[in-house]
Amino acid sequence: MYFKYSYQSYFMFQLIDCLTWRIQNEIDNILAKPIIPAELYRAIRDSQLVGLSGYSKEGLPVIAVGVGLSTFDKASIHYYVQSHIQMNEYRDCVILPSASKRFGRYIGTCIKVLDMTGLKFSALNQIKLLSVISTIDDLNYPEKTETYFIVNAPYIFSACWKVVKPLLQERTRKKVQVLSGSGRDELLKIMDYESLPHFCRREGSGSSRHSRNGTVGDCFSFDHSFHQELYNYIKEQAALRKPAAPIKQGSFHVDFPEHGPEDVKIAETIESEFQRLGDQNRLSHSLHELKINGD
């Protein structure tokens, strides 16, 4: 009985904290805060690779994330956080209700396909931002992802995953599936070809920018229908809420939540593992150079 009460109390406090965060940061207004000018939003899309590629056979939205090739170097951290939260809110307010109506049943979660192509040691520079984004999701958008599929994983990811996996909560660990290569064959069991992220459509590291019908197939691109619809929706909401006020340029600042001890531990473990692998890589390169010069 005590355990049940404590379990319920935990989620009650978590809900209160989430509502407080939403009120204090005016999250309900964030879909009326466009990132302008459009060129800046395009630059963010080119450096924060994420998009909607389609739907699974069960109707779950398929969110593609280019982890390895995202650089997060075209704007301040506030713009990237703003863009991420806007996509979360658009998913919850527009995409999921639309999917529920389209497939005739309630749909409240999505599938995420994480592309590790291009993952390098320089990813250490992104750990702070990625930790902020993951903490926001954990605290304020929990249980929104059904499964995380990891594809095109290089050795550096495989090495880190072995270290990090035991540190994750069991409920999160169960959701992660590391697929072989591009994961195309496995993903085609749960989604049609047209819903495959572009980086999964060919075996290996290749990708297709255009789909079969000639439209933009790269769901990361600002020119993709998902981002065009999202951006137009935000501009329309801004016009409806403040029709007489000009839209001002500037990021929508959101308070970053403090990292929990588990998040800090995971981030530190990733950093130390990347450092170790980097040292090994440099040592191997130096030995190789010595061998060449010695010959």
Side-chain angles (χ1 to χ4, degrees):
M1 186 70 179
Y2 174 76
F3 172 77
K4 182 178 180 180
Y5 175 77
S6 299
Y7 190 75
Q8 291 174 339
S9 297
Y10 169 76
F11 283 101
M12 180 60 70
F13 287 128
Q14 188 178 39
L15 176 60
I16 292 173
D17 288 342
C18 176
L19 292 174
T20 301
W21 176 79
R22 293 187 67 88
I23 293 170
Q24 291 178 344
N25 293 279
E26 300 182 1
I27 299 300
D28 287 345
N29 295 326
I30 200 168
L31 284 178
K33 302 288 185 180
I35 296 175
I36 55 175
E39 289 74 18
L40 174 59
Y41 188 74
R42 182 182 292 277
I44 290 173
R45 293 281 58 81
D46 289 342
S47 54
Q48 183 185 28
L49 305 181
V50 59
L52 175 71
S53 66
Y55 297 84
S56 72
K57 294 177 181 179
E58 295 184 348
L60 276 63
V62 179
I63 307 295
V65 185
V67 178
L69 295 177
S70 291
T71 56
F72 301 100
D73 60 350
K74 304 299 183 182
S76 71
I77 185 174
H78 295 285
Y79 277 116
Y80 288 113
V81 171
Q82 175 183 351
S83 175
H84 178 77
I85 295 175
Q86 284 179 332
M87 279 189 274
N88 280 355
E89 292 292 308
Y90 187 71
R91 174 198 63 199
D92 296 348
C93 297
V94 178
I95 297 297
L96 291 175
S98 176
S100 298
K101 183 178 180 180
R102 174 183 172 186
F103 290 90
R105 69 180 185 86
Y106 173 73
I107 295 175
T109 58
C110 66
I111 291 171
K112 290 187 177 179
V113 183
L114 281 58
D115 180 26
M116 296 294 165
T117 298
L119 188 66
K120 299 177 181 178
F121 297 113
S122 58
L124 278 174
N125 299 327
Q126 306 167 11
I127 282 182
K128 178 182 177 182
L129 174 57
L130 294 177
S131 296
V132 167
I133 287 175
S134 65
T135 303
I136 287 175
D137 284 353
D138 287 342
L139 296 178
N140 303 292
Y141 301 95
E143 302 301 323
K144 284 294 183 179
T145 302
E146 191 81 14
T147 309
Y148 297 89
F149 292 106
I150 294 174
V151 301
N152 297 323
Y155 170 74
I156 187 174
F157 169 80
S158 302
C160 288
W161 178 239
K162 291 178 182 178
V163 176
V164 173
K165 184 178 179 179
L167 301 176
L168 298 176
Q169 294 184 8
E170 185 178 2
R171 62 184 176 85
T172 301
R173 192 164 60 243
K174 287 182 176 180
K175 293 182 179 182
V176 178
Q177 294 187 32
V178 182
L179 304 183
S180 175
S182 69
R184 182 183 61 182
D185 293 340
E186 288 299 312
L187 292 175
L188 283 175
K189 295 177 182 178
I190 62 170
M191 66 185 73
D192 295 330
Y193 180 86
E194 290 300 327
S195 290
L196 279 178
H198 60 281
F199 49 78
C200 297
R201 294 188 179 188
R202 296 181 186 174
E203 282 298 337
S205 58
S207 65
S208 175
R209 179 172 176 77
H210 297 277
S211 62
R212 289 173 174 172
N213 60 11
T215 59
V216 175
D218 181 352
C219 64
F220 299 153
S221 171
F222 181 40
D223 297 319
H224 189 271
S225 58
F226 168 71
H227 285 296
Q228 287 290 306
E229 291 167 6
L230 167 59
Y231 197 65
N232 289 334
Y233 179 88
I234 294 174
K235 288 194 297 182
E236 290 170 2
Q237 292 301 306
L240 289 173
R241 297 195 185 192
K242 293 183 179 180
I247 299 176
K248 297 180 180 179
Q249 184 176 355
S251 60
F252 186 83
H253 286 229
V254 174
D255 291 335
F256 303 148
E258 293 294 328
H259 302 316
E262 288 301 317
D263 294 320
V264 173
K265 185 177 182 181
I266 291 172
E268 290 177 346
T269 302
I270 293 175
E271 187 169 0
S272 63
E273 186 65 14
F274 267 45
Q275 186 65 50
R276 184 184 69 80
L277 290 171
D279 291 342
Q280 287 184 351
N281 186 59
R282 284 188 290 273
L283 177 60
S284 176
H285 181 73
S286 297
L287 291 174
H288 181 67
E289 288 293 322
L290 285 172
K291 182 179 179 181
I292 292 176
N293 293 333
D295 293 341

